[in-house]
Amino acid sequence: ASFATGPRQNNSIFYEIRTYDIKPSKMKEFVEMVNKYFHLRTAHSEMVGFWSAELGAMNKVVHVWKYDNFAHRTAVRHALANDKDWQGKFISPALPLIEKQRNEVAYLVPWCQLGKPPKEGGVYEWVTFQMKPGGPALWGEAFQAAINAHINTGYTKLIGVFHTEYGLLNTVHVIWWNESPDHRAAGRHSAHEDARVVAAVRDSVRFLESQQNMLLIPLQCSPLK
C-alpha cells in the first residue's frame, strides 16, 4: 500500500515535532525570545515551521525540524550543546519559561510532499488523529481517501501528513492552511454537506480512536507563514 511504513519517502529524511507548554505569564516573553534568537538555532539545521496555538490549546508552541537521518540529528544536537551563543542567549533564559516539553519523530507519508501556502498571512490547522493499532496496513487506504476528499473540496490547502515513528504510535498529524478562521469555518460547513466527503470520512472513522485539533499562528521566525 502506498501509505505503508516500509520505505516511507524512499529516503531517510524524518521530522522532529517539538511541542512546548509555556507558563501563561511568560508566553509573550518566550515568543519574543524565539523571534530574536532562533537564527542561532536555524544555523544548525532546517526548521519547517514554528507556531503558537490560538484555539484548541493555550500557551502552547509547536515547531518542526527536518533531518537527513538520525546521525544528522545526533550531530546537530551535539553542536547545539557546544554552541555558547545558543546556550547562553536562548536556552538558559528560556528554560524557566517552559512548563513541559514533548517531542515526536515522524515521517511524511509517501503520497504527500511537504507543501507551502499560496500566500502569507493565513492560519494553520494542526489535526492529530489517533488511529487504531495495526498501522497503515489496516487504516492507511481509508485515511488517505478521507484526506483527498477534503483536498478536493478546494477550500483548504494541505501542507503535510506525518505518521509517527517515535512517540505515541498510530498517530497521524495533518497540517492544513486556510486564509482565515472564518474561511476555514465556511469551508468545513460546505464539506460536511458534500456527499463525497461524508462517505470518505465514514469509512475512515471506523479506524479512529480519537482526534483533536489546534488553530496555529506562525511566528515571525517561521519559514511557513
Side-chain angles (χ1 to χ4, degrees), residues 68-131:
D68 296 335
N69 49 47
F70 288 98
H72 179 212
R73 181 185 184 276
T74 298
V76 169
R77 301 303 298 178
H78 179 77
L80 287 169
N82 290 283
D83 186 329
K84 293 182 179 179
D85 270 356
W86 171 244
Q87 294 294 328
K89 293 180 179 179
F90 183 81
I91 293 297
S92 293
L95 283 178
L97 313 182
I98 302 172
E99 287 191 327
K100 186 189 301 182
Q101 294 176 295
R102 180 168 62 91
N103 76 333
E104 301 167 273
V105 166
Y107 291 91
L108 270 176
V109 299
W111 48 269
C112 171
Q113 294 186 352
L114 195 61
K116 293 184 177 181
K119 61 181 179 180
E120 294 186 3
V123 295
Y124 292 78
E125 183 181 11
W126 184 291
V127 190
T128 298
F129 299 88
Q130 185 59 42
M131 309 302 292

Side-chain angles (χ1 to χ4, degrees), residues 38-54:
F38 244 57
H39 66 280
L40 300 173
R41 173 61 184 84
T42 54
H44 290 274
S45 67
E46 181 181 349
M47 178 170 68
V48 174
F50 200 125
W51 303 268
S52 63
E54 179 73 11

Side-chain angles (χ1 to χ4, degrees), residues 138-160:
L138 175 67
W139 41 259
E141 185 177 341
F143 187 88
Q144 182 180 353
I147 294 297
N148 285 336
H150 283 87
I151 294 173
N152 292 337
T153 63
Y155 80 89
T156 186
K157 164 72 174 176
L158 180 66
I159 301 299

